[in-house]
Amino acid sequence: MEDLYPSRGQEERIINRVDKTVYSNKNFGQQSLDNIQREQYDENGYIVVPNLFSADEIKELLEDIEIMSSNDELRQNEEFITEPNGENLRTIFNQHIFSSAFEKISQDGRILDKVQQLLGGDVYMHHSRINIKPAYVGKSFPWHSDFETWHCEDGLPRCRCLTAWVMLTDNTHFNGPLYLIPGSHKKYVCCKGMTPAENYRYSLKKQEYGVPSVEAIKELSSKDIVAALGKAGTLVIHDGNIMHGSPDNISPDPRTNAFFVYNSVHNKPIKPFSAPTKRADFLSLNDYTPVRVKS
Amino acid sequence: MEDLYPSRGQEERIINRVDKTVYSNKNFGQQSLDNIQREQYDENGYIVVPNLFSADEIKELLEDIEIMSSNDELRQNEEFITEPNGENLRTIFNQHIFSSAFEKISQDGRILDKVQQLLGGDVYMHHSRINIKPAYVGKSFPWHSDFETWHCEDGLPRCRCLTAWVMLTDNTHFNGPLYLIPGSHKKYVCCKGMTPAENYRYSLKKQEYGVPSVEAIKELSSKDIVAALGKAGTLVIHDGNIMHGSPDNISPDPRTNAFFVYNSVHNKPIKPFSAPTKRADFLSLNDYTPVRVKS
């Protein structure tokens, strides 16, 4: 199969996205996006839906994180990633498998109607993750396109995937919020540098491959960078290829978000396009059962 | 002499500030602060004066930084500090000595009238510095009170000092701006941990002593944290004891600011209150000649 999104080569270059951003204009369920929201998503590559989940729902999810975090046996699993140079938990992968509250949210029509609409039908879970950015010590994430990694290292052939994520704490300008470059999802940075074997073992702590140069970030920033801010309970959906990153969190408030990566069932992984071996199964789940609304 | 601001001991604790914030209510020159500005400064511990310097003035200052940065011989001086793990210049100390354009700014009535008013008369330069936070790679500064270091390691007995600083690039939410905790200047965090000898050799790259705990930062944050934002040419004056820090700069835009630390001539350093030896002379200048307006 032709590689429409070549990366990890000798030189960095920027090409155009080949795929659509919005795959369907019809409604899916009662809670998909309206015309204006779809147009915004297509143009900017993301959409923010404030306060979609209630305080009680968020409380239940946070409690499930506490339960998972304090379970030493569970923390032995490779899904549990610590901060570089520390013991603090940075990421929990596949919370929808470990926690029934997160599983329920991942099948909620408030998320899934929008996701199915944007990706044009059935989707499955490529993976999910909770990013915990602790107060004071949470470190930054460099700029990257998720899709670049999913294409190069997992083998997703096309960009027909997205991340829907829920703020579990307030995301402010001060606690290391996600920065997005509006419109950057319509470009694709072919990054410089061959992927080493088992790169994911290091990249989950600190990404070094698939990171564009500052010049590329400048070129993508024809619109000003935005921060995805909101109260706990806010939903954000961003395209798999949008360029994003986040600064460190020196504030006294933690920043915790739950991410769900959905991929179209028509876009199952083949083989890595630019890596010697596929990433571990927990990063690229091979259960392609469509996620359907349960409410 | 009694140590009114003990720190670097066995335990962290928070005490009240002993000294005033504003030392004079009369006008100094034509460009001191009005009543409302002085009240704001007293209450919050800082004041922002937008666009005080023209684009031409800023251009001249930036050109002088270029000249200093590209002078390999000059860069051998201990006033020139590189980023941890890198070659990038992080700080230039005492630019008012190395550059006539910066010297001129340090004697400008737009700054000095306000400074003399706030500190109640003649002031001298304790030191000056340019903090360069390069695009993409500029690292964070942890929370700290400058005065805590100047008291413990330089021997300033009282808090009758401040920093006046000029934005040489735009300071946005995205390029690692200075965060301030309004009102924190009225408290003093006695920090935990004995100062090692020659601490400044390490602390200029990464401060580890005189850094409050996250619990102390929370306790000081009765008001929300603010970011000092503005266009190039904006002046900020902040009290020597205000708690501040800044996140890393992952944006594609550099953030460069020129700081001038003024101390009252009635508050000359004695001997370090909590360190085995005084810091190097370039960090605590011993030229106590009053800085006077030249315009």
Side-chain angles (χ1 to χ4, degrees):
Chain A
M1 176 181 275
E2 187 189 358
D3 183 356
L4 296 171
Y5 297 102
S7 190
R8 318 282 173 105
Q10 296 291 326
E11 296 298 336
E12 181 181 75
R13 63 197 174 96
I14 300 179
I15 62 174
N16 289 319
R17 178 198 183 102
V18 178
D19 296 303
K20 291 191 284 192
T21 312
V22 176
Y23 283 79
S24 171
N25 290 323
K26 72 183 179 82
N27 284 341
F28 280 69
Q30 300 295 311
Q31 304 190 77
S32 47
L33 302 174
D34 63 27
N35 290 349
I36 292 171
Q37 289 175 310
R38 275 200 315 276
E39 278 167 27
Q40 287 177 340
Y41 183 86
D42 178 48
E43 184 180 335
N44 296 321
Y46 72 95
I47 192 152
V48 179
V49 186
N51 309 318
L52 193 62
F53 297 95
S54 72
D56 282 346
E57 289 176 302
I58 297 303
K59 187 164 169 277
E60 189 185 356
L61 296 171
L62 286 171
E63 283 168 357
D64 262 28
I65 294 180
E66 274 306 304
I67 291 167
M68 289 188 279
S69 299
S70 57
N71 184 330
D72 286 342
E73 197 176 341
L74 209 59
R75 285 188 62 162
Q76 300 305 312
N77 287 303
E78 55 185 350
E79 283 89 346
F80 290 75
I81 314 290
T82 51
E83 288 276 349
N85 318 321
E87 278 301 297
N88 291 306
L89 212 52
R90 177 182 171 98
T91 305
I92 300 172
F93 277 93
N94 299 329
Q95 68 274 12
H96 70 288
I97 295 174
F98 294 113
S99 148
S100 57
F102 281 105
E103 182 187 27
K104 196 172 143 208
I105 285 284
S106 75
Q107 301 163 341
D108 192 294
R110 287 170 289 179
I111 295 179
L112 210 49
D113 286 354
K114 299 174 179 62
V115 170
Q116 288 176 328
Q117 180 191 45
L118 291 170
L119 298 182
D122 273 339
V123 297
Y124 71 94
M125 189 76 74
H126 178 62
H127 71 250
S128 69
R129 64 183 184 277
I130 298 166
N131 279 344
I132 299 165
K133 197 178 270 191
Y136 223 57
V137 294
K139 291 285 171 276
S140 58
F141 283 78
W143 294 100
H144 64 283
S145 148
D146 292 328
F147 171 68
E148 196 268 354
T149 292
W150 302 336
H151 176 70
C152 293
E153 300 191 38
D154 297 338
L156 268 54
R158 306 296 286 256
C159 190
R160 194 170 176 177
C161 50
L162 55 74
T163 301
W165 55 278
V166 179
M167 298 182 186
L168 301 181
T169 62
D170 294 353
N171 280 223
T172 74
H173 254 307
F174 299 99
N175 64 355
L178 201 81
Y179 293 170
L180 299 153
I181 302 180
S184 62
H185 64 302
K186 298 215 171 171
K187 299 287 178 183
Y188 179 79
V189 182
C190 309
C191 295
K192 187 179 168 180
M194 303 283 281
T195 321
E198 304 221 317
N199 176 47
Y200 76 91
R201 291 185 188 276
Y202 314 100
S203 69
L204 294 183
K205 286 180 189 272
K206 190 170 190 308
Q207 186 170 350
E208 292 184 23
Y209 295 86
V211 175
S213 69
V214 63
E215 291 76 21
I217 295 298
K218 265 192 192 138
E219 195 172 329
L220 293 180
S221 306
S222 57
K223 288 191 178 185
D224 286 343
I225 295 169
V226 297
L229 306 180
K231 294 282 178 193
T234 295
L235 173 74
V236 180
I237 302 180
H238 71 248
D239 182 85
N241 186 47
I242 196 168
M243 197 59 72
H244 62 288
S246 66
D248 49 8
N249 178 10
I250 70 164
S251 89
D253 303 309
R255 191 224 69 173
T256 303
N257 296 324
F259 298 79
F260 301 95
V261 178
Y262 298 94
N263 187 28
S264 166
V265 294
H266 304 295
N267 193 41
K268 289 173 193 159
I270 305 173
K271 60 169 187 45
F273 282 83
S274 306
T277 48
K278 194 178 166 300
R279 296 199 300 172
D281 287 345
F282 77 94
L283 296 170
S284 180
L285 297 171
N286 47 29
D287 176 357
Y288 305 125
T289 314
V291 184
R292 297 267 166 75
V293 174
K294 280 190 195 151
S295 56
Chain B
M1 175 179 279
E2 187 189 359
D3 183 356
L4 296 171
Y5 298 102
S7 189
R8 317 280 174 110
Q10 296 291 325
E11 296 299 336
E12 180 181 76
R13 64 198 173 98
I14 301 179
I15 62 176
N16 289 321
R17 177 197 185 102
V18 178
D19 295 303
K20 290 192 285 192
T21 312
V22 176
Y23 283 80
S24 172
N25 289 322
K26 72 181 178 81
N27 284 341
F28 281 71
Q30 300 297 309
Q31 305 189 75
S32 47
L33 302 174
D34 64 27
N35 290 350
I36 292 171
Q37 289 176 311
R38 276 202 312 278
E39 278 167 26
Q40 286 177 342
Y41 182 85
D42 179 48
E43 182 180 336
N44 297 320
Y46 72 95
I47 192 153
V48 179
V49 188
N51 310 317
L52 193 62
F53 297 95
S54 72
D56 282 347
E57 289 176 300
I58 298 303
K59 187 163 170 277
E60 190 185 355
L61 296 170
L62 286 172
E63 282 167 359
D64 262 28
I65 294 180
E66 273 307 303
I67 291 167
M68 290 187 278
S69 300
S70 57
N71 184 330
D72 285 342
E73 198 176 340
L74 210 59
R75 284 188 61 161
Q76 300 305 310
N77 287 305
E78 54 185 352
E79 283 88 346
F80 291 74
I81 314 290
T82 51
E83 287 276 349
N85 318 321
E87 278 302 297
N88 292 306
L89 213 51
R90 177 182 170 100
T91 304
I92 299 171
F93 277 93
N94 299 328
Q95 68 273 12
H96 69 288
I97 294 174
F98 294 113
S99 148
S100 57
F102 280 104
E103 182 187 29
K104 196 172 143 210
I105 286 282
S106 76
Q107 301 164 340
D108 192 293
R110 288 170 288 180
I111 294 179
L112 210 50
D113 285 353
K114 299 173 180 63
V115 170
Q116 288 176 328
Q117 181 190 45
L118 291 171
L119 299 182
D122 272 341
V123 298
Y124 72 94
M125 189 74 72
H126 178 62
H127 71 252
S128 68
R129 65 183 185 279
I130 298 166
N131 280 343
I132 298 165
K133 197 177 272 191
Y136 221 58
V137 294
K139 291 285 173 275
S140 58
F141 283 78
W143 293 99
H144 64 284
S145 149
D146 291 328
F147 171 68
E148 195 269 354
T149 291
W150 302 335
H151 176 71
C152 292
E153 301 191 38
D154 297 337
L156 268 56
R158 306 294 287 254
C159 190
R160 194 171 176 175
C161 50
L162 55 73
T163 301
W165 54 278
V166 179
M167 299 182 187
L168 301 181
T169 61
D170 294 353
N171 281 224
T172 73
H173 254 306
F174 299 100
N175 64 356
L178 202 81
Y179 292 169
L180 299 153
I181 302 180
S184 61
H185 64 303
K186 299 215 169 171
K187 298 289 178 181
Y188 179 79
V189 181
C190 309
C191 295
K192 187 179 168 181
M194 303 283 281
T195 321
E198 304 221 317
N199 176 45
Y200 77 89
R201 291 187 189 276
Y202 314 100
S203 70
L204 294 182
K205 286 182 188 271
K206 190 172 191 308
Q207 185 169 353
E208 292 185 22
Y209 295 86
V211 175
S213 69
V214 62
E215 291 75 21
I217 296 298
K218 263 191 194 144
E219 195 171 330
L220 293 180
S221 307
S222 58
K223 287 189 176 186
D224 285 344
I225 295 168
V226 297
L229 306 181
K231 293 281 177 193
T234 295
L235 173 74
V236 180
I237 302 180
H238 70 248
D239 181 85
N241 186 47
I242 196 169
M243 197 57 73
H244 62 288
S246 65
D248 51 5
N249 178 11
I250 69 164
S251 89
D253 303 310
R255 191 225 68 173
T256 303
N257 297 324
F259 298 80
F260 301 95
V261 179
Y262 299 94
N263 187 27
S264 167
V265 295
H266 305 294
N267 193 39
K268 288 173 194 158
I270 305 173
K271 59 168 186 48
F273 283 82
S274 306
T277 49
K278 194 176 166 305
R279 296 199 301 173
D281 287 345
F282 76 94
L283 296 171
S284 180
L285 297 170
N286 46 29
D287 177 357
Y288 306 124
T289 315
V291 184
R292 297 266 166 74
V293 174
K294 281 189 195 155
S295 54

